[in-house]
Amino acid sequence: MKFDLIMTGGNPRLIPSARFFNSTIELGVLAEELGYNGVWTAEHHFSDGYFSQQVPVLAAIAARTSRIEIGTYIVVLPLRHPIEVAEQASTLDALSDGRFQLGVGQGYYVDEYKAFGIPHVQRPSRLQEGLEVIKGLWNNEEFGFDGKRYKFDPISLRPKPTSDQLPIWVAALAPPAIDRAARFGCHLAGAGSPEAIQYYEERLNAYGHNVDDFHKATLRMVHLAESREQAWQNAAVHIHDILSTYLRKLDEANVPPPPGGFFGFDPLPEPEKLMEANGLHFYGAPMIVGTPEDAIREIESSAAASSVTHQIMWMQIGGMDPRLTEHSMRLFSENVIPHFS
């Protein structure tokens, strides 16, 4: 099992941008020093919660590191032309000497699609054609496309990826999206549901793929401290802000909640009650907020329930003091990662 970090770009306290980006890059460098497997970034637009542009951030981290993998979790592919995404990915692949991994998804934020002038209903078709274009450009010396959303004459992509199989991950929660990831032979950038992992493996088999050739990731909110009470005191307000934003965006997109709510509770408890909210999760992945021992127990439990290969840990929780994030990273590195080595 591999342990990675995700840097989302959340900056609701509006720390000056130069200082915030420098802190993010330093955390990426520290992640390599502490022995983490990878650093990922995330994309959304028009808010203080995410990076609107991931490529410069990842390029800066790549320039300061030599071993750690870097990747996108995720690029909202329908908002971008796939030729541009293929070029950016190949460039980051070269800059990092083959350490880059491309994660894509279709997203659902209504305001983003409206601002970019792309109909919300076109998300699945643009994601599917985008994957076809990216793979075609990477795997062929010349490639053209004549689809419903994209059309262009044969072109030669430069630079080409450094390897024959630059990894592509697809974010998926619902069965149709999970099926699409398997059909295109992509790794699964999931959230945390063991049922989703099982269904993905079933679909890989159905399409004739070898399950052992593919990675499956869960995305978890993680904050460690010396006591569970201290961890929740550090993180509760920030976690509540993030979950509340997701709930608002899901409501705007008219996504119906599952039984019990998206995160295990409906309505969401107030920040001071989150510690007592047994069953709180992030799209199926239980929160890890507590001590290193709490983290070990939860990861052992989840590993027994599914064949996850990558634990993507959201420790740079928007609004949290970077010093607390760094302390959590160190506790996890010193006490949790060795347990699973």
Side-chain angles (χ1 to χ4, degrees):
M1 185 183 299
K2 297 181 179 180
F3 295 97
D4 296 38
L5 298 174
I6 185 168
M7 310 292 190
T8 63
N11 186 24
R13 294 190 331 181
L14 295 182
I15 297 170
S17 296
R19 181 148 53 97
F20 176 77
F21 278 95
N22 183 66
S23 171
T24 298
I25 294 164
E26 292 300 331
L27 288 176
V29 174
L30 178 64
E32 178 168 272
E33 295 173 359
L34 294 177
Y36 288 91
N37 173 73
V39 172
W40 304 75
T41 54
E43 171 194 338
H44 276 302
H45 300 267
F46 323 126
S47 76
D48 300 313
Y50 289 87
F51 292 116
S52 59
Q53 297 293 328
Q54 304 177 77
V55 172
V57 180
L58 289 171
I61 293 174
R64 295 277 307 279
T65 57
S66 60
R67 177 198 59 80
I68 201 164
E69 294 177 355
I70 60 172
T72 55
Y73 207 97
I74 57 158
V75 174
V76 185
L77 186 55
L79 299 182
R80 302 182 181 277
H81 199 290
I83 293 177
E84 178 187 29
V85 175
E87 291 176 334
Q88 290 177 337
S90 293
T91 301
L92 280 171
D93 179 55
L95 284 170
S96 64
D97 194 19
R99 291 182 284 138
F100 178 70
Q101 306 201 36
L102 175 64
V104 302
Q106 65 183 27
Y108 59 87
Y109 282 19
V110 173
D111 57 340
E112 292 178 337
Y113 278 86
K114 183 177 180 180
F116 279 88
I118 297 173
H120 204 254
V121 296
Q122 293 183 6
R123 292 175 302 140
S125 60
R126 286 181 177 269
L127 176 61
Q128 177 168 315
E129 289 193 10
L131 285 169
E132 293 175 13
V133 168
I134 291 169
K135 286 198 163 191
L137 289 169
W138 285 351
N139 296 331
N140 297 278
E141 179 55 36
E142 284 197 341
F143 180 78
F145 195 76
D146 185 10
K148 187 176 181 180
R149 307 300 177 196
Y150 304 106
K151 299 178 188 291
F152 55 90
D153 293 331
I155 56 174
S156 295
L157 182 80
R158 292 294 184 272
K160 281 284 195 287
T162 59
S163 67
D164 293 335
Q165 295 295 326
L166 197 162
I168 301 179
W169 299 66
V170 172
L173 294 174
I178 295 170
D179 179 84
R180 185 185 302 114
R183 177 158 43 95
F184 277 88
C186 297
H187 306 297
L188 180 66
S193 165
E195 293 78 16
I197 300 292
Q198 181 180 353
Y199 182 64
Y200 170 67
E201 293 181 335
E202 291 173 0
R203 299 316 298 158
L204 285 173
N205 281 320
Y207 289 114
H209 298 300
N210 184 351
V211 171
D212 293 337
D213 292 337
F214 293 88
H215 304 313
K216 293 142 284 186
T218 61
L219 176 61
R220 294 177 174 273
M221 284 192 175
V222 178
H223 183 71
L224 301 187
E226 279 68 23
S227 70
R228 193 175 305 169
E229 291 76 13
Q230 184 62 55
W232 276 109
Q233 183 178 332
N234 294 344
V237 169
H238 311 299
I239 290 175
H240 189 273
D241 287 347
I242 291 169
L243 298 184
S244 297
T245 297
Y246 272 102
L247 290 173
R248 186 174 68 254
K249 294 293 186 181
L250 288 162
D251 182 64
E252 291 172 357
N254 294 316
V255 180
F262 288 104
F263 307 118
F265 287 84
D266 187 15
L268 187 68
E270 291 302 311
E272 61 272 14
K273 298 293 185 180
L274 288 181
M275 180 178 171
E276 305 164 11
N278 294 325
L280 184 69
H281 60 77
F282 184 69
Y283 292 114
M287 304 277 179
I288 301 180
V289 182
T291 65
E293 291 74 22
D294 292 326
I296 290 170
R297 281 194 295 271
E298 169 51 38
I299 293 169
E300 285 182 336
S301 175
S302 66
S306 66
S307 55
V308 170
T309 60
H310 291 63
Q311 299 277 349
I312 312 291
M313 295 172 295
W314 189 346
M315 287 199 199
Q316 189 202 37
I317 300 171
M320 182 178 289
D321 188 325
R323 291 171 294 185
L324 294 177
T325 299
E326 178 179 333
H327 185 58
S328 177
M329 288 170 57
R330 290 185 182 278
L331 285 175
F332 196 98
S333 170
E334 294 166 4
N335 299 280
V336 182
I337 292 179
H339 183 83
F340 294 94
S341 299

